[in-house]
């Protein structure tokens, strides 16, 4: 095995953030796109928890946390200085996003599975985070922290994209101009388009896919 193997699922925000860092670093991996209802046995062997992304290194080490994959890639090549911002601020933003906002986001997106409250109730809970991000983006001229986009931006953007696309008409009508511009620039970026290319689900017999192309 010459290249690391990356198990991924195109739409998963955790997998997207992992692919973003790998693509930005320029490190080549073998990409294996999975189907969540039919996970490859090999992936489950190296990471029994069964979530993506999972990165298997040539020495047999498996990395199955998206942030760890981001750091692994950027520690080798961080040409855009994603790690140059204050690490404590980055960690604080990501922790709030992953542990609080994500919980409300899941209930908003799948509100039919959580009938104890309405979808608008869950959306209002999500908006508490959007208000904070809007203020930061306004304060720092279009990035979450000072001196341009950092790991925090790229770790959070896939989740804000997921939130926005639950009801994109509503999101685009809201009074979050900085957040909307931040997300739109991300969605139109070459980096995002590269990591969102569609691939057929991986099979043992298929030709190897090298990522990034």
């Amino acid at each position: 095995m010459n290249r690391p193997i990356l198990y991924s699922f195109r739409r998963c925000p955790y997998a997207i953030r992992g692919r973003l860092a790998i693509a930005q670093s320029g490190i080549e991996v073998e990409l294996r796109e999975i189907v969540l209802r039919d996970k490859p046995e090999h992936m489950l062997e190296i990471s029994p928890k069964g979530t993506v992304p999972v990165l298997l290194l040539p020495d047999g080490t498996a990395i199955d946390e998206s942030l760890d994959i981001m750091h692994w890639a950027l520690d080798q090549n961080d040409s855009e200085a994603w790690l140059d911002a204050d690490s404590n601020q980055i960690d604080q933003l990501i922790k709030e996003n992953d542990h609080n906002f994500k919980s409300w986001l899941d209930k908003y997106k799948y509100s039919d599975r959580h009938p104890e409250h309405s979808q608008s109730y869950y959306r209002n809970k999500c908006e508490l985070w959007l208000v904070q991000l809007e203020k930061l983006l306004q304060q720092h001229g279009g990035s979450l922290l000072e001196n341009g986009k950092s790991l925090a931006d790229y770790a959070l953007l896939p989740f804000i994209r997921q939130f926005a696309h639950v009801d994109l008409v509503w999101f685009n009508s809201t009074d979050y101009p900085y957040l909307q511009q931040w997300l739109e620039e991300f969605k139109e970026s070459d980096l995002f388009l590269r990591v969102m290319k569609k691939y057929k689900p991986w099979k043992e017999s298929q030709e190897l896919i090298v990522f990034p192309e």
Side-chain angles (χ1 to χ4, degrees), residues 85-109:
D86 184 288
S87 60
N88 289 329
Q89 290 180 308
I90 290 175
D91 291 345
Q92 185 176 355
L93 285 169
I94 295 175
K95 182 178 180 180
E96 177 67 20
N97 180 85
D98 290 12
H99 293 92
N100 190 11
F101 173 71
K102 182 60 166 62
S103 175
W104 292 117
L105 170 57
D106 288 343
K107 291 177 180 178
Y108 171 49
K109 184 177 180 180

Side-chain angles (χ1 to χ4, degrees), residues 1-5 27-29 55-62 72:
M1 184 175 68
N2 296 322
R3 298 183 181 88
I5 294 172
I27 299 169
E28 290 187 345
V29 302
L55 183 70
L56 180 63
L57 303 183
D59 67 2
T61 301
W72 171 85

Side-chain angles (χ1 to χ4, degrees), residues 151-167:
L151 178 67
D153 295 87
Y154 292 100
L156 267 62
L157 272 160
F159 296 87
I160 301 304
R161 173 183 175 269
Q162 187 179 65
F163 171 86
H165 281 256
V166 175
D167 187 343

Side-chain angles (χ1 to χ4, degrees), residues 30-47:
E30 177 186 341
L31 179 67
R32 296 183 177 181
E33 176 75 9
I34 73 161
V35 177
L36 294 178
R37 64 179 179 275
D38 187 20
K39 298 169 185 174
E41 289 185 11
H42 180 249
M43 187 189 101
L44 295 174
E45 288 173 3
I46 62 175
S47 179

Side-chain angles (χ1 to χ4, degrees), residues 114-180:
H114 303 277
E116 57 269 25
H117 293 291
S118 66
Q119 186 180 48
S120 61
Y121 173 89
Y122 297 126
R123 186 170 69 192
N124 289 341
K125 291 293 186 180
C126 290
E127 282 196 83
L128 298 175
W129 184 229
L130 302 191
V131 169
Q132 295 183 54
L133 298 183
E134 178 75 8
K135 290 179 180 178
L136 290 174
L137 292 168
Q138 183 176 10
Q139 179 182 349
H140 299 128
S143 59
L144 293 177
L145 300 174
E146 294 180 342
N147 302 320
K149 289 184 173 60
S150 69
L151 178 67
D153 295 87
Y154 292 100
L156 267 62
L157 272 160
F159 296 87
I160 301 304
R161 173 183 175 269
Q162 187 179 65
F163 171 86
H165 281 256
V166 175
D167 187 343
L168 194 56
V169 173
W170 174 87
F171 179 79
N172 288 334
S173 71
T174 59
D175 190 23
Y176 301 119
Y178 288 89
L179 196 68
Q180 290 162 349

